[in-house]
Amino acid sequence: MKVRTRFAPSPTGFVHIGGLRTALYNYLFAKKHAGTFILRIEDTDRTRFVEGATENLLSVIEWAGLTPDEGPAGGGRFAPYYQSQRTEIYVRFAQQLLDKGFAYYAFDTPEDIEALRKKAQENGGQPPKYDYQTRGQMRNSLTMSAAQVKDALAAGVPHVIRLKIPSERVFEVNDLIRGAVTFHSSQVDDQVLLKSDGYPTYHLANVVDDHLMEITHVIRGEEWLSSVPKHLYLYECFGWQAPQMAHLPLIFNPDGSKMSKRDITSLTALPAGKVDPDVASYIKKGYEKEAIINYIALLGWNPGEGDERQVFTLAELVNEFSLERVNKSAAIFDLKKLDWLNAQHIMRRNIDELTDQVIQDLQTQQHEIPARKYLKQVVELMQPRLPFRTQFYDLSVYFFKDPEQYDPEVVKKRWKEDSIKLILEFVTESAKLEVYEKTAIEHTLHTIAEREQVGLGRIIHPIRLAVSGTGAGPGLYEMLEVLGKETVIRRLQTAVKKIPALI
Ligand code: GLU
């Protein structure tokens, strides 16, 4: 059996972190088994239509590198992949169910449904259910005569088609993550399959398409588990074999609540205990794609007991992934871990590629682009200390401009009465160096420290401050080498004039 998985989102606005995880796991599982990954747009709920939502979704999937083998963009054997373009298929299959007596027409008005709701409330606040207990009192083809039904249809009375769920049945699914899960049919309502606008509901369209598109594994969020009995019954009515199913654990905010976009204005000002569920916010903030994918993969999956690896590329994830290693329990979104992975992925990037990306960032930020060779050296020094690639310029600005200010905290802490003298000695010694490179610089600094009988820190810290204006950065020797002798001497001479005035 050739594995075929699908990501079947309903584009109703933004792409949720959980949605991207579903897409990712489907992709990983398909690729791991040399199978096919399908993207299907479930856009039959016209009341939830949001302009641009589908385009947004397609671009996030593309951005993530989860290119489908079949889908709206590239087509495929089972096109179209937009459910809104497949309505006649669903109508045909709904008719089959009607013909076989598995479904029925219902002509109830909104008032009839409201009355059902009220009655249910009076009967102890049970949620209203249109089911085996109530269907006999409603306006439908089970209670009306054949002639009445015919007339109503001919007159164009608004109606839906409902699935006739049997009263005494137990449905069981052997979920690949959760194990055996059973459902009693008395808990299930007579699901609307075809709505009065002629569009199918999710349940009908989903089952029909999963069958027609030969989906072997349905991998989706746990919120869909409660739909399983309806789907199983539909497969049974059609005489089709149901695909295997795997329901992924939910993802919660750090405070244990459901992730929601409400109350979230920006990633930098998150309410306590909350995170942003919108993938676009993370892209906008400048997280590396690899870090987002890696982090999302770990939201519910791990490489195995005792396996401490955390950093994975997409290709490595394909190799490692298995549904057996997906947790049953909910995952908690941890922004700190994502941040950590972001730095890890920057650290592992090929230096030329990273330099190219930094050039692009600098262009976007409208900074002047330095000579590539010089920039590459700076990138190499900054690579292990970049939380975000987009912060490169701010964190390394002194490689491009002489400092205009000196961090007052560092001045207070590091500038001592002998700083000027030590710096000037270093200037004199540096001038003598023919090759200005890190070992020679290190050696010079050691010599001065010994001669003056001071600790190395006493000389290193003021130099860093004088050259960069800050107290942190890459190793000093490497930094001075990259800056070059001339620049270093010029900056040191300026600093010994300017810094004392700040004290
Ligand atoms: N259209 C559903 C959604 O929006 C798909 C659920 C499923 O994968 O069956 O998530």
Side-chain angles (χ1 to χ4, degrees), residues 6 8-10 22 42 202 206 210 218-220 223-224 231:
R6 85 312 193 262
S10 301
T22 300
E42 302 210 325
Y202 152 72
N206 190 268
D210 281 348
V218 165
I219 304 168
R220 62 184 170 197
E223 63 273 24
W224 300 104
H231 296 188

